[in-house]
Amino acid sequence: DIHIETKYIPSVMVSYTIMVPYGMKVDTIKSSNGKLVIRGLKNGSYNTTNGSIKVEDISGEFSLETTNGKILAENCSGTFFARTTNGSINVEDCYAVSGLYTSNGSINFDLLNIESDIEVITNNARIRCNLISNLDLKLNAKTTNGVISVNDSEFENVKSNSNHFYGEMNQAKHLLNLETTNGNIKIRKIYKEF
């Protein structure tokens, strides 16, 4: 176990770089008043307050949680959960998500795989989602005071109105639920195999 604690001293900044073997399992990383940048770990829980979280090349199951900061996940081969307040969430080329939650921040994500039902929820901001074409899902999107943009010709069993859209892709095994208040939702189908 590694435990590092520092006392608050005004006008002093402390930064740590901890290097471990690539792919090592690290159960928990916690920080406050600063950002976390994590690369190449396996599994774990990564938390901070008043700072952003950036992860790259993480595998296994993991969670990302912060307040007053954004979350960025890139090129991750595991399944993860992300939650923030007053910050955006951006997910690029990651295998799977189990849930994305924020308030007062946008959510932009690529959905490359769906293994269970997924919730993506924000308020006072937009949601943008890129879906690969071979996913088996039921898409349910709702907004209040916003517009939903989706090419409904790419979905079956469509039900929609000005602030709600439901449609099914392929085998429609799992639910992808997108919700926002005071924001738009944009869904694009991309023709890319991962």
Side-chain angles (χ1 to χ4, degrees), residues 6-47:
T6 58
K7 303 283 186 209
Y8 174 74
I9 302 170
S11 304
V12 174
M13 185 176 120
V14 177
S15 176
Y16 295 101
T17 300
I18 301 170
M19 300 182 82
V20 297
Y22 187 86
M24 182 175 183
K25 181 180 178 195
V26 176
D27 291 335
T28 304
I29 296 177
K30 289 184 181 181
S31 175
S32 61
N33 301 317
K35 67 181 178 180
L36 289 177
V37 178
I38 301 164
R39 291 182 185 95
L41 293 182
K42 182 176 182 179
N43 297 341
S45 174
Y46 313 122
N47 308 296

Side-chain angles (χ1 to χ4, degrees), residues 15-121:
S15 176
Y16 295 101
T17 300
I18 301 170
M19 300 182 82
V20 297
Y22 187 86
M24 182 175 183
K25 181 180 178 195
V26 176
D27 291 335
T28 304
I29 296 177
K30 289 184 181 181
S31 175
S32 61
N33 301 317
K35 67 181 178 180
L36 289 177
V37 178
I38 301 164
R39 291 182 185 95
L41 293 182
K42 182 176 182 179
N43 297 341
S45 174
Y46 313 122
N47 308 296
T48 189
T49 55
N50 301 319
S52 63
I53 299 176
K54 180 179 180 181
V55 295
E56 296 174 358
D57 300 318
I58 305 294
S59 62
E61 294 184 13
F62 57 99
S63 67
L64 310 171
E65 295 191 54
T66 187
T67 55
N68 303 319
K70 66 182 177 181
I71 295 175
L72 173 61
E74 297 175 324
N75 302 312
C76 296
S77 60
T79 300
F80 70 96
F81 164 91
R83 180 186 307 273
T84 186
T85 305
N86 301 321
S88 62
I89 298 175
N90 293 292
V91 179
E92 301 171 7
D93 293 327
C94 291
Y95 179 71
V97 298
S98 58
L100 303 173
Y101 303 89
T102 186
S103 58
N104 303 316
S106 63
I107 299 176
N108 301 296
F109 70 106
D110 299 336
L111 189 60
L112 308 181
N113 188 34
I114 185 165
E115 298 175 339
S116 63
D117 293 352
I118 299 171
E119 277 193 328
V120 177
I121 299 175

